[in-house]
Amino acid sequence: MIFKSESVLRPEYIPERLPFREDHLRRLIMYFEEFIRNPGSIYPKVILIGKPGTGKTVTARKFGEYVQFTDSSKLKRLKYVHVNCFINRTLFSVLKDIGTQLGLPIPRRGFSSDEMLELLLDMIRDRDIYSIVTLDDVFHLTNHSGADALGKLVKLSEEYLSRGDRYRFGLILISQNLSFIDQLDRSSRSSLGSAIIEFQPYSKDQIFEILLDRAREALHEHAYSEEILEMIADVAGADVNLTEEHRGDARYAIDILWRAAKLAEMNGSSRILPEHVREAIKSTLRGIRVEELKLLPTHEKLFLLAIIKMLKRKEYSPYITFGEAEEMYQMLCEEYNETPRKHTQLWEYLKDLKDKGIVETRISSKGMRGRTTLISIPSEPLNILEQEVEDIVKRELAI
Ligand code: ADP
Ligand code: MG
C-alpha cells in the first residue's frame, strides 16, 4: 500500500498550512481587513503576480476560507468568489459565474453582457450582499476578450457608489506578470491602484518542505523516504543559476510525486524507488497542465489530438498545415463515431489552443499554395502529450 489519501496530491487540494506563503496571506488579509470588518466602506483591490506553481491560487483560496470563517455578520452577507478565467474568458461568463457562486438566480441566456451586468448589480443590492471576487489567471480574459472586459469588472464596485450605494466588491487579480495592466485604459488602471503581492519561485529546500507536508498526509510512512523527496526537489526547485521554466513550480513537484507513487503502486512495489521518480519525471508534461487540458471542449481536444497525430507523422518537419490537421481530425471523428465540427469552429479551436499556449502557429509566406497557417507544438514530447489527450478524450466519449 502506497497511498493513505491520494486526493491530497490532487492540484485543487488545499493543505492545512502553506509554508513560505504565510506572509503573503497575512498581507492579503491586511489589505482586506477593513472591508471584512465593515463591508462596503472601502474598495480594496490587490494583484497577485508570479510564475505558475508559485502558490497564487492556493493562497487566494486559503484567504477565501478565512473570509468565510471570519464574516461575523449573522446573515453571512460577505462571500468569497473565485473565478477561473481559463474557463470563463468573456465578460458574460465571468459575470454569470459570479452570480452563480453568489447563489443568485442567473438566467442562462437571452441577455447581453451589459444587461447581465445590470441584473447582477440589482440583485446584489437588493439582497444586500458583499463579496470579494478573485479573477484567477486574468490574462486569459484580457487576451481573449480584450481589456475592456476587465475594465468593466474593475469598475463594478464603483458603479454602486455612483448610484448612492456602498461598495459591494473587493477584487483580487491573479496573473503571471503585469502585462495585462498595460492594456487597460487609463482610468481603469488608476482605479486598480498598485497593491501588488509577488510570488517568487520556490527554492529546492522550499519545494522539499512542501513535498514533505504532502507526503506525510498522502502516503504511508514506509512508502517514501526523505531522499526520494529531495530527488524530486532537485528537479523542481529553483536554482540561482538555472532559469528553466519549470523551476520553482510546486505543482510540477507534486505532480511528479503523485506519478512516482502511482508507478510504485502499479509495479507492486511497497515503496517509491528512484527509478519510479525518473520514470515519473519523463512522463510529466512540462508547460501544459493536464487539468487545463481536461477543461477544453471535447472537440477541441479531438482537434488537438489530430494535430499531435499529424505532427508525429512528420519526422523531418516541425510543422503541419491547418488543412492537414483538419483532415486528421475528420478521420478521428470517423473513428470515434463523432459528427465533425465545422471548418470555422476549428479555426476558433486553433485560436484558443494558441491563446492558451498549447500550440504555436505561424503564417507561411513561402510555397506554392500562398499564405497558409502552420501549426507546431515545440515544447512537449508528442508521445506523452498524445497519451494524455487520448486518455482524456476516450474517457469522455466512454470508448
Ligand atoms: P499557481 O496558482 O501560482 O500556479 P497553485 O496555487 O496552483 O500555483 O499551486 C500549485 C500547487 O502547489 C497546488 O497543488 C498547491 O496546493 C501547491 N502549493 C503551492 N504553494 C504551496 C505552499 N506554499 N504550501 C503547500 N502547497 C503549495
Ligand atoms: Mg493558479
Side-chain angles (χ1 to χ4, degrees), residues 52-53 55-58 82 136-137 174 251:
K56 303 181 297 296
T57 298
V58 75
H82 195 104
D136 198 345
D137 286 342
I174 300 181
R251 180 181 334 215

Side-chain angles (χ1 to χ4, degrees), residues 89 138-151 183-184:
R89 297 174 292 138
V138 69
F139 59 94
H140 289 298
L141 175 70
T142 47
N143 283 353
H144 188 266
S145 304
D148 247 26
L150 178 58
Q183 302 166 27
L184 288 172

Side-chain angles (χ1 to χ4, degrees), residues 13-31:
Y13 177 77
I14 303 178
E16 189 64 32
R17 60 178 207 124
L18 294 177
F20 318 110
R21 292 299 177 246
E22 285 104 355
D23 212 45
H24 297 67
L25 189 58
R26 209 171 301 131
R27 283 180 61 197
L28 201 50
I29 292 172
M30 200 187 72
Y31 281 122

Side-chain angles (χ1 to χ4, degrees), residues 100-334:
T100 310
Q101 291 193 45
L102 289 175
L104 302 172
I106 296 292
R108 284 177 175 280
R109 55 189 93 245
F111 281 85
S112 71
S113 57
D114 281 339
E115 288 165 335
M116 180 65 109
L117 201 115
E118 287 296 323
L119 199 69
L120 198 66
L121 293 176
D122 286 346
M123 285 198 216
I124 285 170
R125 193 180 32 210
D126 290 349
R127 286 168 174 73
D128 198 17
I129 298 172
Y130 296 92
S131 75
I132 297 173
V133 175
T134 294
L135 301 177
D136 198 345
D137 286 342
V138 69
F139 59 94
H140 289 298
L141 175 70
T142 47
N143 283 353
H144 188 266
S145 304
D148 247 26
L150 178 58
K152 283 194 177 158
L153 288 164
V154 170
K155 294 200 188 118
L156 209 56
S157 212
E158 277 150 18
E159 191 66 28
Y160 288 102
L161 206 67
S162 67
R163 298 176 188 195
D165 191 23
R166 296 160 66 81
Y167 293 116
R168 294 286 169 180
F169 288 104
L171 197 59
I172 298 174
L173 300 181
I174 300 181
S175 194
Q176 290 177 15
N177 52 53
L178 289 170
S179 62
F180 73 94
I181 293 179
D182 301 335
Q183 302 166 27
L184 288 172
D185 62 282
R186 185 192 291 251
S187 85
S188 306
R189 224 181 311 155
S190 75
S191 150
L192 195 52
S194 57
I196 296 171
I197 303 178
E198 275 186 65
F199 288 64
Q200 299 299 338
Y202 292 114
S203 69
K204 293 180 179 188
D205 290 348
Q206 292 176 330
I207 293 275
F208 172 76
E209 260 197 50
I210 291 170
L211 284 176
L212 191 59
D213 264 11
R214 283 295 160 105
R216 279 185 181 136
E217 219 180 317
L219 308 174
H220 284 292
E221 206 180 327
H222 62 76
Y224 67 98
S225 65
E226 295 202 354
E227 273 189 327
I228 284 291
L229 304 183
E230 275 163 351
M231 184 183 176
I232 299 173
D234 281 343
V235 282
D239 198 306
V240 270
N241 302 316
L242 276 163
T243 49
E244 213 198 311
E245 205 183 327
H246 267 265
R247 296 276 173 162
D249 180 339
R251 180 181 334 215
Y252 181 57
I254 294 169
D255 200 22
I256 294 173
L257 178 60
W258 174 72
R259 274 164 205 274
K262 267 309 217 205
L263 285 168
E265 187 182 51
M266 276 174 349
N267 291 324
S269 172
S270 63
R271 53 189 301 185
I272 303 172
L273 302 171
E275 197 58 15
H276 297 138
V277 175
R278 292 188 191 103
E279 190 74 17
I281 290 167
K282 264 203 328 207
S283 68
T284 304
L285 290 175
R286 312 225 79 199
I288 300 174
R289 305 191 175 290
V290 175
E291 71 267 25
E292 289 186 347
L293 287 176
K294 285 188 185 145
L295 295 171
L296 300 173
T298 306
H299 273 254
E300 189 164 329
K301 290 185 195 116
L302 262 178
F303 188 54
L304 174 60
L305 187 57
I307 293 170
I308 298 165
K309 285 187 184 290
M310 203 65 202
L311 279 168
K312 278 185 65 181
R313 284 197 180 176
K314 300 228 168 170
E315 198 178 344
Y316 296 107
S317 167
Y319 295 106
I320 57 169
T321 63
F322 183 86
E324 288 172 320
E326 188 168 18
E327 214 172 288
M328 179 61 89
Y329 165 79
Q330 274 154 1
M331 276 163 55
L332 281 180
C333 283
E334 201 161 309

